[in-house]
Amino acid sequence: MKNMAMKELDNEIIKERSKSIRTKGRQSQPIQCEADSVAGCVSQRACVYCGARVVLNPITDAVHLVHGPIGCASYTWDIRGSLSSGSDLYRYSFSTDLREEDIIFGGEKKLARCIDELVERYHPGLLLVYATCIVGVIGDDLGAVCKAASLRHKIDIIPVESAGFSGNKSDGYRAACDVLLRMIASEEAVPKKDNCLNYLGDFNLAGEAWIIKSYLNEIGIHVNVAITGDSTYDTLLEAPSASLNIVQCAGSMGYMGKRMEQIYGMPCMNISFLGLEDTMDSLRRISSFFDNYFISSRAEALIKREYELYAPVVESCRARLQDKKAAIFVGGGFKAISLIKQFRELGMEVVMVGTQTGREEEYDTIHQMVTDGTVVLDDANPSELETFMLEQGADLLVGGVKERPLAFKLGIAFIDHNHERKHPLSGFIGAANFAQEVYATVCSPVWRYLNLDGI
Amino acid sequence: MTKQNRVRNVTENPCNMCMPMGAIVPFKGIENAMIIIHGSQGCATYMRRHMAEHFNEPIDVASSSITEQGTIYGGENNLKKGLENVMQLYKPELVGILSTCLAETIGEDLGRTASSFTREQGEGFTARLVPVSTPGYGGGHYEGYIQALYSIVVQLSQKTEKHDRINVFVPHISPADIREIKRILELMEIKYTLLPDISETLDSPYIQPYRRIPAGGTPLQEIEAMPGARATIEFMTMLEDELSPGKYLESEFGVPLYRLPLPMGIEACDELLRVLKKLSSKAVPEVIKKERGRLLDAMVDSHKYNGAGRAAVFAEPEVLYGVTRIMAENGILPAVLATGSKSPALKKLLQSLTADCDEKAIILLDSDFVSIQDHCANRKINLAVGNSDGRFISEQVGIPLVRIGFPIHDRIGGQRILSVGYNGTMMLMDRITNTLLAEKLSSYRQDMYQSLYKYPSAAANDH
């Protein structure tokens, strides 16, 4: 398979897609990204609604009402691993469940009735109404319905402009950030709190935001609010009172950080708590921002303790994983970059890197990081993943639910790096979990038995 | 609110997925077939994710990826380009084209696009295109499945010479269920065309090299030849005539139709075997008779444990009916019966099935899980049977869930769950009985201590 003739390979790739596939060292033009998906290519991307839902859904005490036919609500019902320390209202799936007659006569009245019912039953402080493809097309005025309902019930009822066709997942992130910005906007100046930051772009999957909060708390920094992992309406409103924004998932929340910098003059720092190196580096950068001897010394003590605890775990896995080959296909470019570093920590070679919605500058960074011969793809489809994983001899794929069965059918190990996972991958403990998960799949005995001539 | 069941507008924790989702499944059961969904990119991706997690199989479904431009100026070009790319990447013999809410609302004409695409491709183009209208607001996944199955038969079947196969139509059941039905047909030495046959395509063995369209599925030529069959068995008793592929073949081509419930429960299995005996010259073989005997033995063995069961069942109509039958035959009270579908025929069938039960069943059509949960509390339910979306109820009120149907997202092996035939009935019963036993055994020491030793007067007041 490795020596697959180029001609044969050409047949596997749709012509229009070839600009979005680059082999480092072979092609010099930059990769095409941030473009619409090519029809019929079986893109792994979702839609605007999906992006908005990912970002906003972890707000635990909000009613998340999907205005549209039932499918959009059904496919996003409690599929993500965000944890809550309080309300579990966010795990409910609420839908206006539009039917044929609503499409003909419009869905505004039904939406208003649904809002009334939900407010009466659950008494939320915040109700978000997500637009789906159909809403704009049938001409429902979401803004007007929400505004009227908001006045009627005296709570925040905010429309999310997330019609599926109006862009890709990244546009959904942006729509979600706009909702958050609108929500936290206040006419009064908010007093600043000391040694206090907002933690953007962590959705508290399997308690990841809790890990980071405990680290920061220990070194004397207060996490004002994580946006949006385990957040509530009230804690989000406090966001302007912090003195720094740190951003984990830049793909979804980089925009929010930038906007808050413009509006509130709040500095913004991209950090990463994925992997030992990035975690240590991030803790040090955050400490130095606050320029406080006690914070810095406590940070060093924490780093020393945690590193000594978890580095041996990573090290023992590394010994078994040395020189194995990893393929990456994840949502955003920032996560891909972190993963390349993490595989390096494990002594593994990265042979393929792809993302659904990576940005140009992220692909530049990826290009600089990887070695010659590594294939980089944007918005890849199953055929391309199959072709390049086999061609590159990958031992492992990191990806999401849709990619998992493909890897397994190809006899390739797999780890989940998606919103559905049930164990944390952040911080020191997360780096150890990651190493152990990679070890458990790559070094599993099952691969030894995958031969077809046993009988 | 004077009415007990107030009419709500909002749907909370849905029982339904949407029409195109259901319509994917029959196409996945056709040999060498591919699917394209005409709509926004997200629809295909969400449905693929939903199915991949259940079947643990790669689920390739293309999208025409309609964008803002397509929404304003029409999506025909997107769909045609999508079809071209699907042909290049997958080389299918057949492509199912499914619409979505978006495509339907902006007025896309799938049929016209399909025929003009075929024309433009010229003579060398032999793939069959099967457009199906499946707006997301037009019904649930059950209705989508039926619509696609019916469209496939109507669009592909052609007048054919008589042959000795029978047609078999199945609702959405597991690949393991389909393998069991095929095994029974083969034991009865009956040749058949079963549609849709997802037994291999959505539960494929490990092979090398990988195939983008897995082997198996109903061959296209056999679907075309369905009008020449000597009979049709349709395991869907609640279909309206105008959506019944069996009825279509009967009225258009005179193929005799047997409409049977899914073989779940002793009586429904017997009913199937009686029909098969009629269609075969062969007597029921010993191996099946022994399986029947073993089921009877198992029913007696577990009947006292089952007597304690008060169940809520939620599933697609035919499976719901089948599970209810098994319960009614074995003394488990089918107290709350729910489905996302609106099927009026189902309600009548369930009412007559449960007429002899100790308490009247609550039947919920077009339901959601919050309604089911409310009724579970009222009816003192101690057992839930249905898909994994019911885990929410388990988690919140502690009712154990026996998993069956689609989707099963929180356990592995949804595609291998067997619940039809004498064997499948027995296995489903065992799962149910063992769940009741596990529940009882996990707490009875504590329960007895609490009620008889620590607070005996409270127990007396209860009685």
Side-chain angles (χ1 to χ4, degrees):
Chain A
M1 211 62 194
K2 271 198 154 178
N3 298 320
M4 186 188 271
M6 277 321 273
K7 197 178 154 216
E8 215 177 305
L9 205 63
D10 282 349
N11 195 25
E12 305 291 319
I13 307 299
I14 299 288
K15 213 169 171 192
E16 240 179 291
R17 288 273 318 134
S18 58
K19 281 184 257 166
S20 297
I21 304 166
R22 289 287 172 261
T23 306
K24 184 169 178 186
R26 267 185 233 156
Q27 291 118 323
S28 53
Q29 310 97 308
I31 193 165
Q32 175 177 301
C33 59
E34 299 178 82
D36 288 340
S37 296
V38 179
C41 283
V42 194
S43 162
Q44 307 289 88
R45 280 181 184 167
C47 57
V48 179
Y49 162 76
C50 172
R53 197 81 208 261
V54 171
V55 169
L56 295 172
N57 202 63
I59 306 173
T60 60
D61 62 349
V63 162
H64 300 266
L65 172 61
V66 181
H67 185 39
I70 196 64
C72 308
S74 197
Y75 307 131
T76 50
W77 175 21
D78 196 33
I79 60 171
R80 300 186 180 271
S82 300
L83 300 187
S84 167
S85 57
S87 173
D88 67 357
L89 197 51
Y90 72 115
R91 294 183 58 207
Y92 281 69
S93 172
F94 300 116
S95 169
T96 52
D97 195 356
L98 296 182
R99 308 287 172 97
E100 196 121 32
E101 58 275 17
D102 305 313
I103 304 304
I104 298 165
F105 300 111
E108 291 181 9
K109 284 187 182 144
K110 189 173 191 188
L111 172 60
R113 288 196 298 269
C114 288
I115 292 173
D116 293 347
E117 287 170 12
L118 287 167
V119 171
E120 189 195 327
R121 181 160 170 148
Y122 297 101
H123 313 291
L126 171 66
L127 192 150
L128 296 170
V129 181
Y130 297 78
T132 57
C133 287
I134 205 76
V135 172
V137 182
I138 61 174
D140 278 5
D141 187 344
L142 223 55
V145 176
C146 289
K147 195 173 172 188
S150 204
L151 289 170
R152 194 159 64 241
H153 297 292
K154 299 183 179 54
I155 62 165
D156 239 350
I157 298 176
I158 306 182
V160 187
E161 298 299 340
S162 50
F165 60 81
S166 60
N168 64 29
K169 203 169 166 183
S170 298
D171 298 291
Y173 298 148
R174 202 185 160 107
C177 290
D178 283 332
V179 165
L180 291 166
L181 288 164
R182 176 178 157 180
M183 212 173 89
I184 62 175
S186 166
E187 282 168 21
E188 296 152 41
V190 185
K192 293 278 176 195
K193 298 174 192 160
D194 286 339
N195 293 339
C196 180
L197 56 75
N198 298 320
Y199 179 27
L200 275 57
D202 187 318
F203 305 105
N204 201 34
L205 306 174
E208 286 177 345
W210 293 339
I211 295 173
I212 306 312
K213 270 187 186 177
S214 78
Y215 291 167
L216 294 174
N217 202 33
E218 181 179 331
I219 66 178
I221 297 169
H222 175 63
V223 176
N224 189 36
V225 59
I227 305 180
T228 53
D230 191 24
S231 64
T232 63
Y233 178 60
D234 286 340
T235 55
L236 283 167
L237 294 183
E238 297 280 309
S241 64
S243 45
L244 171 69
N245 277 333
I246 57 170
V247 184
Q248 168 73 47
C249 177
S252 60
M253 286 265 157
Y255 166 75
M256 174 112 182
K258 272 185 209 135
R259 289 292 293 137
M260 285 184 75
E261 198 160 12
Q262 291 161 358
I263 300 167
Y264 303 99
M266 194 180 296
C268 178
M269 182 190 284
N270 279 342
I271 48 83
S272 164
F273 288 110
L274 296 173
L276 296 174
E277 288 301 326
D278 273 7
T279 301
M280 293 190 288
D281 178 57
S282 297
L283 285 171
R284 288 186 176 122
R285 281 168 49 221
I286 294 165
S287 315
S288 67
F289 172 88
F290 287 97
D291 194 18
N292 174 317
Y293 170 75
F294 294 103
I295 288 177
S296 299
S297 55
R298 271 179 284 190
E300 287 307 323
L302 179 141
I303 287 171
K304 185 169 183 297
R305 185 193 69 217
E306 294 286 310
Y307 185 82
E308 282 171 5
L309 197 58
Y310 292 109
V313 179
V314 175
E315 205 47 48
S316 73
C317 295
R318 181 188 166 98
R320 303 286 299 272
L321 294 168
Q322 195 74 38
D323 299 329
K324 296 279 188 192
K325 292 174 178 171
I328 296 170
F329 189 72
V330 291
F334 188 78
K335 197 196 272 179
I337 292 166
S338 280
L339 282 165
I340 295 171
K341 289 190 208 164
Q342 268 190 291
F343 284 123
R344 294 228 170 114
E345 283 182 12
L346 290 172
M348 293 173 70
E349 188 191 342
V350 174
V351 293
M352 188 198 94
V353 187
T355 81
Q356 288 175 19
T357 55
R359 294 191 310 257
E360 201 180 326
E361 61 270 27
E362 291 165 337
Y363 279 113
D364 286 345
T365 310
I366 291 170
H367 184 80
Q368 282 159 25
M369 290 172 80
V370 298
T371 51
D372 274 2
T374 300
V375 174
V376 182
L377 337 92
D378 179 68
D379 190 17
N381 60 29
S383 318
E384 291 158 10
L385 295 176
E386 172 203 338
T387 303
F388 291 111
M389 282 195 291
L390 293 174
E391 191 206 34
Q392 300 284 85
D395 297 298
L396 168 80
L397 173 69
V398 46
V401 175
K402 294 185 304 297
E403 292 86 33
R404 180 173 53 209
L406 175 64
F408 287 170
K409 290 285 174 193
L410 296 171
I412 293 172
F414 181 85
I415 67 166
D416 288 286
H417 212 300
N418 56 29
H419 279 226
E420 285 145 68
R421 61 196 143 82
K422 309 288 185 282
H423 54 274
L425 297 177
S426 273
F428 296 95
I429 184 176
N433 285 343
F434 179 80
Q436 281 174 323
E437 190 185 353
V438 174
Y439 168 73
T441 179
V442 172
C443 299
S444 166
V446 298
W447 310 117
R448 274 185 254 149
Y449 302 98
L450 286 191
N451 63 67
L452 294 171
D453 43 14
I455 46 171
Chain B
M1 273 321 133
T2 47
K3 271 196 285 182
Q4 198 194 0
N5 289 327
R6 68 173 187 155
V7 178
R8 286 181 301 140
N9 288 279
V10 69
T11 295
E12 306 182 38
N13 297 348
C15 287
N16 269 336
M17 290 148 266
C18 62
M19 263 190 114
M21 160 88 243
I24 291 172
V25 182
F27 284 104
K28 284 285 172 194
I30 298 176
E31 190 175 52
N32 210 7
M34 186 55 191
I35 299 129
I36 184 164
I37 294 188
H38 191 32
S40 139
Q41 175 59 47
C43 307
T45 301
Y46 271 132
M47 294 168 204
R48 291 174 60 208
R49 197 210 75 87
H50 222 67
M51 288 181 71
E53 193 154 35
H54 172 88
F55 289 104
N56 295 295
E57 295 282 329
I59 306 291
D60 288 10
V61 174
S63 168
S64 63
S65 309
I66 300 183
T67 57
E68 205 127 37
Q69 288 288 315
T71 306
I72 299 165
Y73 301 109
E76 187 175 355
N77 289 339
N78 272 60
L79 180 53
K80 285 182 175 174
K81 192 160 100 185
L83 282 165
E84 262 174 38
N85 288 335
V86 164
M87 293 312 299
Q88 188 190 330
L89 285 176
Y90 291 86
K91 301 173 185 64
E93 278 178 75
L94 179 147
V95 184
I97 308 173
L98 309 176
S99 65
T100 56
C101 3
L102 181 60
E104 294 283 344
T105 313
I106 63 174
E108 295 290 295
D109 186 339
L110 297 190
R112 197 186 60 201
T113 307
S115 48
S116 80
F117 179 81
T118 308
R119 216 170 33 246
E120 286 157 22
Q121 294 294 304
E123 276 181 17
F125 184 79
T126 55
R128 295 293 302 264
L129 305 179
V130 181
V132 187
S133 170
T134 50
Y137 49 74
H141 58 296
Y142 174 75
E143 285 75 20
Y145 182 99
I146 300 297
Q147 187 70 53
L149 181 59
Y150 182 76
S151 302
I152 289 164
V153 173
V154 171
Q155 292 185 42
L156 296 178
S157 61
Q158 303 161 359
K159 194 158 175 49
T160 323
E161 278 183 29
K162 292 275 174 213
H163 53 75
D164 62 351
R165 288 192 302 276
I166 66 163
N167 304 317
V168 180
F169 294 117
V170 293
H172 188 184
I173 50 179
S174 79
D177 288 335
I178 293 178
R179 284 196 289 271
E180 178 67 3
I181 289 173
K182 286 163 73 171
R183 189 185 67 95
I184 294 169
L185 291 165
E186 281 153 25
L187 281 167
M188 293 299 291
E189 294 178 6
I190 291 173
K191 291 186 183 150
Y192 58 86
T193 300
L194 184 145
L195 182 73
D197 184 358
I198 59 168
S199 65
E200 304 291 319
T201 53
L202 291 181
D203 190 13
S204 70
Y206 179 75
I207 51 150
Q208 282 172 331
Y210 172 68
R211 292 175 57 140
R212 282 179 198 166
I213 299 181
T218 319
L220 176 58
Q221 293 71 21
E222 289 193 16
I223 302 173
E224 288 171 342
M226 281 184 153
R230 56 199 181 90
T232 298
I233 294 178
E234 188 168 80
F235 288 113
M236 288 172 274
T237 48
M238 45 209 84
L239 278 190
E240 292 159 56
D241 285 354
E242 58 268 29
L243 282 171
S244 153
K247 204 78 198 168
Y248 171 79
L249 292 172
E250 185 184 56
S251 60
E252 291 291 310
F253 303 100
V255 185
L257 172 64
Y258 298 88
R259 277 177 143 176
L260 301 176
L262 278 171
M264 299 176 76
I266 187 84
E267 282 194 329
C269 290
D270 287 353
E271 203 177 341
L272 171 62
L273 263 299
R274 283 196 296 272
V275 169
L276 295 184
K277 226 163 65 177
K278 211 156 90 183
L279 293 172
S280 163
S281 47
K282 200 175 149 56
V284 176
E286 202 54 31
V287 56
I288 294 185
K289 285 187 174 160
K290 278 188 184 159
E291 287 168 8
R292 184 179 191 276
R294 232 169 257 130
L295 170 60
L296 293 176
D297 197 51
M299 287 168 72
V300 176
D301 288 345
S302 58
H303 76 278
K304 285 208 294 184
Y305 309 121
N306 289 333
R310 303 176 58 87
V313 189
F314 33 88
E316 290 175 37
E318 281 83 11
V319 175
L320 173 60
Y321 183 68
V323 173
T324 309
R325 265 187 108 126
I326 292 178
M327 292 184 166
E329 286 174 356
N330 289 280
I332 302 165
L333 184 76
V336 178
L337 306 172
T339 186
S341 170
K342 282 198 262 194
S343 169
L346 172 68
K347 186 160 192 169
K348 283 197 191 120
L349 283 166
L350 287 174
Q351 277 165 343
S352 70
L353 185 61
T354 55
D356 290 340
C357 292
D358 292 345
E359 292 171 35
K360 196 163 174 253
I362 290 176
I363 298 166
L364 305 168
L365 303 181
D366 198 8
S367 183
D368 62 14
F369 275 100
V370 166
S371 314
I372 297 173
Q373 190 169 334
D374 288 347
H375 285 290
C376 282
N378 299 338
R379 300 298 301 273
K380 299 197 170 102
I381 296 301
N382 61 5
L383 172 74
V385 179
N387 65 49
S388 70
D389 287 338
R391 69 184 181 278
F392 222 65
I393 296 179
S394 296
E395 197 186 303
Q396 299 206 329
V397 288
I399 300 169
L401 172 65
V402 174
R403 285 162 180 77
I404 185 175
F406 174 88
I408 293 172
H409 281 168
D410 60 351
R411 294 287 187 275
I412 202 135
Q415 73 275 45
R416 291 188 287 272
I417 295 180
L418 177 61
S419 317
V420 303
Y422 297 113
N423 281 342
T425 298
M426 190 164 68
M427 290 167 78
L428 174 58
M429 280 226 339
D430 283 352
R431 294 200 297 274
I432 290 173
T433 312
N434 286 334
T435 303
L436 288 169
L437 278 172
E439 206 51 21
K440 176 155 186 153
L441 298 181
S442 69
S443 65
Y444 90 98
R445 285 172 192 276
Q446 190 61 22
D447 291 348
M448 296 303 141
Y449 169 77
Q450 291 286 337
S451 66
L452 303 178
Y453 182 79
K454 208 157 181 205
Y455 306 107
S457 56
N461 288 341
D462 268 359
H463 278 276

